[in-house]
Amino acid sequence: MGPVAFQAAIPQLQDLSQIDLKEPQILIMTRAKCIALIAHDQKKDDMAEFARRHQARLSGWRIVATGTTGGRVKDACPDLDVTPLKSGPLGGDQQIGALIATGEVDVLVFFVDPLTSMPHDVDVKALMRLATVYDIPMALNLATAEILMTTPVA
């Protein structure tokens, strides 16, 4: 997990020497937004290119991705904070589902290949169901992912 940012609920300070330690301070914990990236085999190049194109926007995000997809995104964009999980068929889809259920994922981008049979199709459907149940923005193709990257939600 990436570092947690702390923001003082006081006016912006140039340095910490301006804080009056005799007065109580209020600190608000915030976390970086998290985006989950998944791509079926025939869509991994598209995902790496998508990440490269939106690298500046994604640089402020924590990124979780299934195994090979995470590796491909990291290769394309070495400066991004990518946490690769297990491969989708080996439990990576469930890991991302658990992160959605615990409120740790804010956006799901899942490039699905509708023309290839998936042996773990049940896992894929469960992941999409969780994204729907927890009402997080979900893109299943490049066109929708591009729209998400241009909206305030992302």
Side-chain angles (χ1 to χ4, degrees):
M1 179 178 291
V4 176
F6 291 94
Q7 296 177 329
I10 53 179
Q12 291 292 339
L13 303 173
Q14 294 301 317
D15 62 57
L16 295 177
S17 66
Q18 295 179 17
I19 297 176
D20 181 358
L21 296 177
K22 295 177 186 168
E23 294 295 320
Q25 304 295 315
I26 299 172
L27 296 178
I28 300 171
M29 275 183 60
T30 60
R31 67 171 176 82
K33 285 190 174 188
C34 179
I35 186 168
L37 303 178
I38 306 171
H40 284 152
D41 288 345
Q42 300 302 316
K43 299 292 184 174
K44 291 189 190 314
D45 289 341
D46 293 342
M47 182 63 79
E49 177 58 25
F50 170 79
R52 190 197 58 72
R53 210 169 33 257
H54 294 286
Q55 186 169 355
R57 182 87 190 254
L58 292 171
S59 66
W61 287 65
R62 175 178 168 234
I63 301 167
V64 294
T66 50
T68 307
T69 301
R72 297 283 292 276
V73 169
K74 191 69 175 166
D75 289 346
C77 309
D79 294 334
L80 291 181
D81 176 20
V82 180
T83 303
L85 304 174
K86 291 187 177 292
S87 170
L90 299 178
D93 294 334
Q94 285 95 345
Q95 287 179 298
I96 289 177
L99 293 171
I100 290 170
T102 57
E104 296 177 60
V105 170
D106 301 292
V107 174
L108 172 63
V109 176
F110 190 164
F111 288 174
V112 176
D113 179 6
L115 302 177
T116 303
S117 163
M118 296 295 134
H120 64 292
D121 191 51
V122 173
D123 302 331
V124 172
K125 287 179 181 170
L127 183 60
M128 289 189 274
R129 186 181 70 75
L130 282 170
T132 302
V133 166
Y134 288 95
D135 198 27
I136 66 164
M138 172 177 50
L140 300 177
N141 60 36
L142 181 58
T144 308
E146 294 290 348
I147 291 169
L148 277 179
M149 287 292 103
T150 62
T151 63
V153 75

